[in-house]
Amino acid sequence: MKITAAVVNGVNEAYELEQLTLGELYPDEVVVRIVASGVCHSDEALRVGDAPFPMPVVLGHEGAGIIEKIGSAVKNFNVGDQVVMAYNYCGTCASCRTGHPSSCNEWAALNMSGGRPDGSHIFYKEDGTPVSNFFAQSSFATHTIAHVNNLIKVDPEEDLRLMGPLGCGLLTGFGTVVNGLQAKTGSSIAIFGIGAVGLGALMTAKIIGCSTIIAIDIHDTRLETARELGATHTINSRTENLAKRIAEISEGQGVDYSIDTTGISSVMKASIQVLGIGGVSAPVAVTPNSVEFNTFMDLVLANRKLIGVLMGDAIPQLAIPELIKFHKEGKFPFEKLVKYYKFDEINQATADANSGETIKPILIIDEDYRKEEPLVFN
């Protein structure tokens, strides 16, 4: 089957739309016609080499589409079903069977190796060169092959053009607050970096009833969005004294929780330093940077904790329907974060995300989907 995909052929090279061939469909996989895909910072981290990955590659891991073909072993899905795609997991290891599929023993092999565990590939160039896939979905393509564990079925009335970002960025923000930090009603939280992950965390903090929600960024427009979505306080860390403002807001006590989505060393350290006694911090960015701190002074002395949270430690098949429900209720209005781009504008969408102009770019790959409900593009 011939498809069109946005291919990255080398580190820091631009996306190029190329014709590829889909490989063999395995029994536990489906062919998905991609309607739309969010553009995530993790895609950019791989493209520029911050996280090493075998190239050439088709990136994209916030895909939403329609099943066109199913493998012989696939159950509970049918041709024509609307799906959101998240990450793959084995389903049989101890982590998967105890409700932590993002800690799957095979997570890296299934999502980050560029191919299937048996070494085969999903995409091939016209000359037979294999092209790596990402997250077992590679949604920057007109069609892809995805494992059944990637799939979350959504109701036919849901607009797939909006749904894709639920599969990674928003899932990560939501899950980090609920599953990772296990934030409590009435608590305080500081969120560093007000992109899609940060705003997903912010909206979740509001839903669960955090009484103090502090949004920190260097873009005033993003801070305005944060206030609109529930931030009780905002700080522009480029123009304001962060430590002083946090001390004022917390009456010198520090915050109960913090999340860093920036991956910048100084910011990650600041997210630890603003914690109060017993506070917990979660750095969640894909980053090549590290952070240096004194374990006794910065953690032990105040009983602070620093935790890793991958994909929000969430079960996508449970969390994504919950986020859709919150969206319908007006509690998770993530449509306010997005801007739509045509598929061939992928490099512009990436540039706008990098500059901060767009919080969550969404590529419309199938422009014929719901043509009776036209979108406003970038």
Side-chain angles (χ1 to χ4, degrees):
M1 179 179 181
K2 300 293 185 182
I3 64 136
T4 300
V7 181
V8 178
N9 286 295
V11 173
N12 211 27
E13 292 188 15
Y15 291 98
E16 296 182 39
L17 294 187
E18 298 184 19
Q19 187 174 73
L20 304 178
T21 300
L22 281 186
E24 178 187 357
L25 180 67
Y26 280 22
D28 53 2
E29 296 175 336
V30 303
V31 174
V32 178
R33 171 168 55 86
I34 305 296
V35 170
S37 177
V39 177
C40 179
H41 174 72
S42 298
D43 298 311
E44 182 66 355
L46 268 63
R47 187 187 72 82
V48 302
D50 286 349
F53 203 83
M55 295 187 178
V57 61
V58 178
L59 296 172
H61 61 290
E62 291 184 342
I66 299 170
I67 295 177
E68 288 202 340
K69 187 176 181 180
I70 61 173
S72 59
V74 172
K75 298 179 180 179
N76 302 318
F77 290 94
N78 297 293
V79 171
D81 283 346
Q82 292 202 145
V83 293
V84 170
M85 295 184 288
Y87 59 85
N88 193 8
Y89 53 91
C90 77
T92 59
C93 70
S95 293
C96 287
R97 288 185 167 178
T98 53
H100 301 281
S102 68
S103 297
C104 173
N105 290 353
E106 303 300 320
W107 200 92
L110 293 172
N111 295 283
M112 299 292 292
S113 68
R116 297 186 181 96
D118 67 1
S120 64
H121 285 76
I122 287 173
F123 304 107
Y124 293 88
K125 294 202 177 195
E126 292 184 332
D127 64 1
T129 301
V131 179
S132 295
N133 82 316
F134 183 42
F135 260 53
Q137 61 165 284
S138 289
S139 55
F140 294 163
T142 57
H143 296 77
T144 193
I145 292 174
H147 192 275
V148 69
N149 286 350
N150 284 74
L151 307 177
I152 301 91
K153 189 186 301 186
V154 299
D155 290 338
E157 70 269 15
E158 297 296 341
D159 190 341
L160 289 178
R161 296 173 297 185
L162 179 64
M163 295 289 112
L166 294 173
C168 178
L170 297 171
L171 178 72
T172 296
F174 168 78
T176 299
V177 173
V178 173
N179 303 317
L181 298 175
Q182 299 181 19
K184 296 178 174 59
T185 299
S187 61
S188 57
I189 185 168
I191 301 167
F192 291 76
I194 305 302
V197 175
L199 287 169
L202 187 153
M203 289 184 286
T204 304
K206 182 181 179 182
I207 289 170
I208 67 173
C210 290
S211 59
T212 302
I213 304 172
I214 308 169
I216 301 115
D217 205 286
I218 60 174
H219 300 286
D220 286 331
T221 54
R222 293 195 173 197
L223 293 173
E224 290 172 11
T225 300
R227 285 191 289 272
E228 181 182 351
L229 295 179
T232 60
H233 303 79
T234 59
I235 301 173
N236 186 321
S237 55
R238 177 176 285 169
T239 60
E240 300 178 76
N241 185 308
L242 175 64
K244 182 179 179 181
R245 288 281 286 119
I246 294 285
E248 291 172 352
I249 294 166
S250 67
E251 298 181 346
Q253 299 302 304
V255 297
D256 298 314
Y257 310 103
S258 69
I259 298 173
D260 174 72
T261 73
T262 72
I264 300 169
S265 297
S266 59
V267 181
M268 289 190 284
K269 185 164 186 177
S271 71
I272 299 170
Q273 293 173 326
V274 301
L275 293 174
I277 294 173
V280 187
S281 181
V284 298
V286 178
T287 178
N289 300 320
S290 58
V291 58
E292 183 176 329
F293 57 88
N294 182 282
T295 54
F296 181 75
M297 296 299 294
D298 292 322
L299 296 181
V300 176
L301 192 60
N303 280 306
R304 294 167 170 167
K305 299 177 182 65
L306 183 66
I307 62 171
V309 188
L310 180 63
M311 299 301 300
D313 193 18
I315 303 172
Q317 287 75 12
L318 299 179
I320 289 175
E322 189 171 7
L323 289 176
I324 292 173
K325 176 177 175 288
F326 285 142
H327 179 254
K328 286 182 175 179
E329 295 171 347
K331 298 176 182 177
F332 201 80
F334 67 97
E335 75 281 357
K336 297 180 180 180
L337 317 183
V338 309
K339 185 182 289 187
Y340 295 107
Y341 295 77
K342 296 185 178 184
F343 191 19
D344 62 6
E345 296 175 323
I346 184 170
N347 289 301
Q348 185 62 53
T350 299
D352 289 352
N354 290 341
S355 70
E357 180 176 333
T358 301
I359 295 175
K360 174 54 66 176
I362 294 181
L363 302 174
I364 302 302
I365 296 171
D366 181 2
E367 292 185 40
D368 290 328
Y369 176 84
R370 296 197 180 181
K371 287 187 79 170
E372 72 279 5
E373 303 172 32
L375 296 173
V376 176
F377 284 95
N378 169 50

Short mmCIF file of all heavy atoms in Angstrom, two decimals, residues 157-163 166 170 174 203-204 207 229 319-338 340 362:
data_model
loop_
_atom_site.label_atom_id
_atom_site.label_comp_id
_atom_site.label_asym_id
_atom_site.label_seq_id
_atom_site.Cartn_x
_atom_site.Cartn_y
_atom_site.Cartn_z
N GLU A 157 -19.33 10.40 17.11
CA GLU A 157 -19.63 11.83 17.07
C GLU A 157 -18.45 12.71 17.45
O GLU A 157 -18.45 13.92 17.24
CB GLU A 157 -20.82 12.16 17.97
CG GLU A 157 -20.56 12.05 19.46
CD GLU A 157 -20.88 10.68 20.03
OE1 GLU A 157 -21.03 9.72 19.24
OE2 GLU A 157 -21.00 10.58 21.27
N GLU A 158 -17.41 12.13 18.05
CA GLU A 158 -16.24 12.92 18.43
C GLU A 158 -15.48 13.38 17.18
O GLU A 158 -15.34 12.63 16.22
CB GLU A 158 -15.31 12.11 19.34
CG GLU A 158 -15.93 11.70 20.66
CD GLU A 158 -16.28 12.86 21.55
OE1 GLU A 158 -15.75 13.97 21.34
OE2 GLU A 158 -17.10 12.67 22.47
N ASP A 159 -14.99 14.60 17.22
CA ASP A 159 -14.25 15.17 16.10
C ASP A 159 -12.77 14.79 16.24
O ASP A 159 -12.06 15.31 17.09
CB ASP A 159 -14.40 16.69 16.09
CG ASP A 159 -13.86 17.33 14.82
OD1 ASP A 159 -13.06 16.69 14.12
OD2 ASP A 159 -14.25 18.48 14.53
N LEU A 160 -12.33 13.88 15.39
CA LEU A 160 -10.96 13.38 15.47
C LEU A 160 -9.91 14.46 15.21
O LEU A 160 -8.75 14.31 15.59
CB LEU A 160 -10.75 12.24 14.48
CG LEU A 160 -11.46 10.92 14.80
CD1 LEU A 160 -11.18 9.91 13.70
CD2 LEU A 160 -11.01 10.36 16.14
N ARG A 161 -10.30 15.54 14.58
CA ARG A 161 -9.35 16.60 14.28
C ARG A 161 -8.82 17.25 15.56
O ARG A 161 -7.76 17.88 15.54
CB ARG A 161 -9.99 17.64 13.37
CG ARG A 161 -10.36 17.09 11.99
CD ARG A 161 -11.15 18.06 11.15
NE ARG A 161 -12.43 18.39 11.75
CZ ARG A 161 -13.36 19.15 11.17
NH1 ARG A 161 -13.12 19.65 9.95
NH2 ARG A 161 -14.51 19.41 11.76
N LEU A 162 -9.55 17.09 16.65
CA LEU A 162 -9.14 17.66 17.93
C LEU A 162 -8.51 16.64 18.87
O LEU A 162 -7.73 16.99 19.74
CB LEU A 162 -10.36 18.30 18.61
CG LEU A 162 -10.16 18.95 19.98
CD1 LEU A 162 -9.20 20.14 19.87
CD2 LEU A 162 -11.50 19.40 20.55
N MET A 163 -8.83 15.35 18.69
CA MET A 163 -8.58 14.34 19.71
C MET A 163 -7.13 13.90 19.87
O MET A 163 -6.73 13.40 20.92
CB MET A 163 -9.43 13.10 19.41
CG MET A 163 -10.93 13.31 19.51
SD MET A 163 -11.49 13.54 21.22
CE MET A 163 -11.98 15.27 21.16
N LEU A 166 -4.66 14.11 22.99
CA LEU A 166 -4.99 13.35 24.20
C LEU A 166 -4.07 12.14 24.36
O LEU A 166 -3.91 11.61 25.46
CB LEU A 166 -6.44 12.88 24.15
CG LEU A 166 -7.51 13.98 24.20
CD1 LEU A 166 -8.89 13.38 23.97
CD2 LEU A 166 -7.47 14.72 25.52
N LEU A 170 -1.38 15.86 26.57
CA LEU A 170 -2.42 16.10 27.57
C LEU A 170 -2.55 14.93 28.53
O LEU A 170 -2.80 15.11 29.73
CB LEU A 170 -3.75 16.39 26.88
CG LEU A 170 -3.75 17.65 26.02
CD1 LEU A 170 -5.01 17.75 25.18
CD2 LEU A 170 -3.60 18.90 26.90
N PHE A 174 -2.12 15.38 32.59
CA PHE A 174 -3.18 14.85 33.45
C PHE A 174 -2.63 13.79 34.40
O PHE A 174 -2.81 13.85 35.62
CB PHE A 174 -4.29 14.27 32.57
CG PHE A 174 -5.31 13.45 33.30
CD1 PHE A 174 -6.32 14.06 34.03
CD2 PHE A 174 -5.28 12.06 33.22
CE1 PHE A 174 -7.27 13.30 34.69
CE2 PHE A 174 -6.24 11.29 33.87
CZ PHE A 174 -7.23 11.91 34.61
N MET A 203 -5.06 22.28 34.07
CA MET A 203 -6.51 22.02 34.05
C MET A 203 -6.87 20.88 34.99
O MET A 203 -7.93 20.90 35.64
CB MET A 203 -6.96 21.72 32.62
CG MET A 203 -6.93 22.94 31.70
SD MET A 203 -7.59 22.61 30.04
CE MET A 203 -6.26 21.65 29.31
N THR A 204 -5.98 19.89 35.08
CA THR A 204 -6.22 18.77 35.98
C THR A 204 -6.15 19.22 37.43
O THR A 204 -6.97 18.79 38.26
CB THR A 204 -5.20 17.65 35.72
OG1 THR A 204 -5.27 17.28 34.34
CG2 THR A 204 -5.49 16.44 36.58
N ILE A 207 -9.35 20.70 38.27
CA ILE A 207 -10.41 19.70 38.40
C ILE A 207 -10.37 19.03 39.78
O ILE A 207 -11.41 18.83 40.41
CB ILE A 207 -10.29 18.64 37.28
CG1 ILE A 207 -10.68 19.24 35.94
CG2 ILE A 207 -11.17 17.42 37.58
CD1 ILE A 207 -10.36 18.33 34.75
N LEU A 229 -7.52 29.36 32.10
CA LEU A 229 -7.81 27.95 32.33
C LEU A 229 -7.74 27.54 33.79
O LEU A 229 -7.95 26.36 34.10
CB LEU A 229 -6.85 27.08 31.50
CG LEU A 229 -7.01 27.21 29.99
CD1 LEU A 229 -6.00 26.34 29.27
CD2 LEU A 229 -8.43 26.84 29.56
N ALA A 319 -7.74 6.53 30.80
CA ALA A 319 -7.57 7.97 31.02
C ALA A 319 -8.15 8.81 29.89
O ALA A 319 -8.76 9.86 30.13
CB ALA A 319 -6.09 8.29 31.22
N ILE A 320 -7.97 8.38 28.64
CA ILE A 320 -8.42 9.21 27.52
C ILE A 320 -9.93 9.34 27.47
O ILE A 320 -10.45 10.46 27.30
CB ILE A 320 -7.81 8.70 26.20
CG1 ILE A 320 -6.31 9.02 26.20
CG2 ILE A 320 -8.50 9.33 24.99
CD1 ILE A 320 -5.53 8.48 25.02
N PRO A 321 -10.71 8.27 27.66
CA PRO A 321 -12.16 8.47 27.76
C PRO A 321 -12.56 9.41 28.90
O PRO A 321 -13.53 10.17 28.78
CB PRO A 321 -12.70 7.06 28.00
CG PRO A 321 -11.68 6.18 27.35
CD PRO A 321 -10.37 6.84 27.63
N GLU A 322 -11.80 9.37 30.01
CA GLU A 322 -12.09 10.28 31.12
C GLU A 322 -11.82 11.72 30.72
O GLU A 322 -12.61 12.63 31.05
CB GLU A 322 -11.25 9.90 32.35
CG GLU A 322 -11.64 10.65 33.60
CD GLU A 322 -10.97 10.11 34.84
OE1 GLU A 322 -10.09 9.24 34.73
OE2 GLU A 322 -11.32 10.58 35.95
N LEU A 323 -10.73 11.96 29.99
CA LEU A 323 -10.43 13.32 29.53
C LEU A 323 -11.49 13.81 28.54
O LEU A 323 -11.86 14.99 28.56
CB LEU A 323 -9.05 13.36 28.89
CG LEU A 323 -7.87 13.21 29.85
CD1 LEU A 323 -6.56 13.17 29.09
CD2 LEU A 323 -7.85 14.32 30.88
N ILE A 324 -11.97 12.93 27.68
CA ILE A 324 -13.04 13.31 26.75
C ILE A 324 -14.30 13.68 27.53
O ILE A 324 -15.00 14.65 27.20
CB ILE A 324 -13.31 12.17 25.76
CG1 ILE A 324 -12.10 12.00 24.82
CG2 ILE A 324 -14.58 12.45 24.94
CD1 ILE A 324 -12.19 10.80 23.91
N LYS A 325 -14.59 12.94 28.58
CA LYS A 325 -15.75 13.25 29.43
C LYS A 325 -15.58 14.62 30.09
O LYS A 325 -16.51 15.45 30.10
CB LYS A 325 -15.92 12.18 30.49
CG LYS A 325 -17.03 12.43 31.50
CD LYS A 325 -17.15 11.25 32.46
CE LYS A 325 -18.17 11.52 33.56
NZ LYS A 325 -17.66 12.52 34.53
N PHE A 326 -14.39 14.89 30.63
CA PHE A 326 -14.12 16.19 31.23
C PHE A 326 -14.26 17.30 30.19
O PHE A 326 -14.76 18.40 30.50
CB PHE A 326 -12.72 16.23 31.85
CG PHE A 326 -12.57 15.48 33.14
CD1 PHE A 326 -11.41 14.77 33.42
CD2 PHE A 326 -13.58 15.50 34.09
CE1 PHE A 326 -11.26 14.09 34.61
CE2 PHE A 326 -13.43 14.81 35.29
CZ PHE A 326 -12.27 14.11 35.55
N HIS A 327 -13.82 17.03 28.97
CA HIS A 327 -13.93 18.03 27.91
C HIS A 327 -15.39 18.34 27.62
O HIS A 327 -15.78 19.51 27.47
CB HIS A 327 -13.21 17.54 26.65
CG HIS A 327 -13.28 18.48 25.51
ND1 HIS A 327 -14.10 18.28 24.41
CD2 HIS A 327 -12.66 19.67 25.29
CE1 HIS A 327 -13.96 19.29 23.57
NE2 HIS A 327 -13.10 20.13 24.07
N LYS A 328 -16.21 17.32 27.52
CA LYS A 328 -17.63 17.52 27.26
C LYS A 328 -18.29 18.34 28.37
O LYS A 328 -19.22 19.12 28.13
CB LYS A 328 -18.34 16.18 27.13
CG LYS A 328 -18.07 15.45 25.83
CD LYS A 328 -18.86 14.14 25.78
CE LYS A 328 -18.71 13.45 24.45
NZ LYS A 328 -19.46 12.18 24.40
N GLU A 329 -17.81 18.17 29.58
CA GLU A 329 -18.36 18.89 30.74
C GLU A 329 -17.80 20.30 30.87
O GLU A 329 -18.19 21.04 31.79
CB GLU A 329 -18.08 18.11 32.02
CG GLU A 329 -18.79 16.76 32.08
CD GLU A 329 -18.34 15.89 33.24
OE1 GLU A 329 -17.30 16.22 33.86
OE2 GLU A 329 -19.01 14.88 33.53
N GLY A 330 -16.88 20.67 29.98
CA GLY A 330 -16.28 22.00 30.03
C GLY A 330 -15.17 22.15 31.04
O GLY A 330 -14.69 23.27 31.28
N LYS A 331 -14.72 21.04 31.62
CA LYS A 331 -13.68 21.10 32.66
C LYS A 331 -12.27 20.97 32.09
O LYS A 331 -11.30 21.25 32.79
CB LYS A 331 -13.91 19.97 33.68
CG LYS A 331 -15.23 20.05 34.43
CD LYS A 331 -15.39 18.85 35.34
CE LYS A 331 -16.73 18.87 36.07
NZ LYS A 331 -16.91 17.66 36.90
N PHE A 332 -12.16 20.53 30.84
CA PHE A 332 -10.85 20.31 30.24
C PHE A 332 -10.88 20.89 28.82
O PHE A 332 -10.83 20.16 27.82
CB PHE A 332 -10.56 18.80 30.22
CG PHE A 332 -9.10 18.44 30.10
CD1 PHE A 332 -8.27 18.46 31.21
CD2 PHE A 332 -8.56 18.05 28.88
CE1 PHE A 332 -6.93 18.11 31.11
CE2 PHE A 332 -7.22 17.70 28.77
CZ PHE A 332 -6.41 17.73 29.89
N PRO A 333 -10.99 22.21 28.71
CA PRO A 333 -11.21 22.87 27.40
C PRO A 333 -9.93 23.00 26.58
O PRO A 333 -9.48 24.11 26.24
CB PRO A 333 -11.77 24.23 27.80
CG PRO A 333 -11.13 24.51 29.12
CD PRO A 333 -11.00 23.19 29.83
N PHE A 334 -9.36 21.87 26.21
CA PHE A 334 -8.06 21.91 25.54
C PHE A 334 -8.15 22.45 24.11
O PHE A 334 -7.11 22.72 23.49
CB PHE A 334 -7.40 20.53 25.57
CG PHE A 334 -8.09 19.46 24.76
CD1 PHE A 334 -7.66 19.15 23.48
CD2 PHE A 334 -9.15 18.75 25.30
CE1 PHE A 334 -8.29 18.16 22.75
CE2 PHE A 334 -9.78 17.75 24.56
CZ PHE A 334 -9.35 17.46 23.29
N GLU A 335 -9.36 22.62 23.59
CA GLU A 335 -9.48 23.22 22.26
C GLU A 335 -8.91 24.64 22.23
O GLU A 335 -8.56 25.16 21.16
CB GLU A 335 -10.94 23.22 21.80
CG GLU A 335 -11.84 24.26 22.44
CD GLU A 335 -12.33 23.89 23.85
OE1 GLU A 335 -12.01 22.78 24.31
OE2 GLU A 335 -13.02 24.72 24.47
N LYS A 336 -8.79 25.27 23.38
CA LYS A 336 -8.25 26.62 23.46
C LYS A 336 -6.73 26.65 23.24
O LYS A 336 -6.15 27.74 23.10
CB LYS A 336 -8.59 27.24 24.81
CG LYS A 336 -10.10 27.41 25.02
CD LYS A 336 -10.41 28.03 26.36
CE LYS A 336 -11.93 28.19 26.54
NZ LYS A 336 -12.28 28.81 27.85
N LEU A 337 -6.09 25.49 23.20
CA LEU A 337 -4.64 25.44 23.06
C LEU A 337 -4.19 25.24 21.62
O LEU A 337 -3.01 25.40 21.31
CB LEU A 337 -4.06 24.28 23.89
CG LEU A 337 -4.60 24.05 25.29
CD1 LEU A 337 -3.84 22.91 25.95
CD2 LEU A 337 -4.52 25.31 26.11
N VAL A 338 -5.12 24.85 20.73
CA VAL A 338 -4.69 24.32 19.44
C VAL A 338 -4.77 25.34 18.31
O VAL A 338 -5.55 26.30 18.35
CB VAL A 338 -5.52 23.08 19.05
CG1 VAL A 338 -5.54 22.07 20.19
CG2 VAL A 338 -6.94 23.44 18.64
N TYR A 340 -4.62 24.83 13.90
CA TYR A 340 -4.62 23.80 12.86
C TYR A 340 -3.71 24.19 11.69
O TYR A 340 -3.68 25.34 11.27
CB TYR A 340 -6.04 23.56 12.36
CG TYR A 340 -6.96 22.98 13.41
CD1 TYR A 340 -7.95 23.77 14.00
CD2 TYR A 340 -6.84 21.66 13.81
CE1 TYR A 340 -8.80 23.24 14.96
CE2 TYR A 340 -7.68 21.12 14.78
CZ TYR A 340 -8.66 21.91 15.35
OH TYR A 340 -9.49 21.38 16.29
N ILE A 362 -1.84 21.18 15.47
CA ILE A 362 -2.46 19.94 15.01
C ILE A 362 -2.43 19.93 13.49
O ILE A 362 -2.90 20.88 12.84
CB ILE A 362 -3.90 19.78 15.52
CG1 ILE A 362 -3.91 19.64 17.05
CG2 ILE A 362 -4.57 18.58 14.86
CD1 ILE A 362 -5.30 19.45 17.64
#
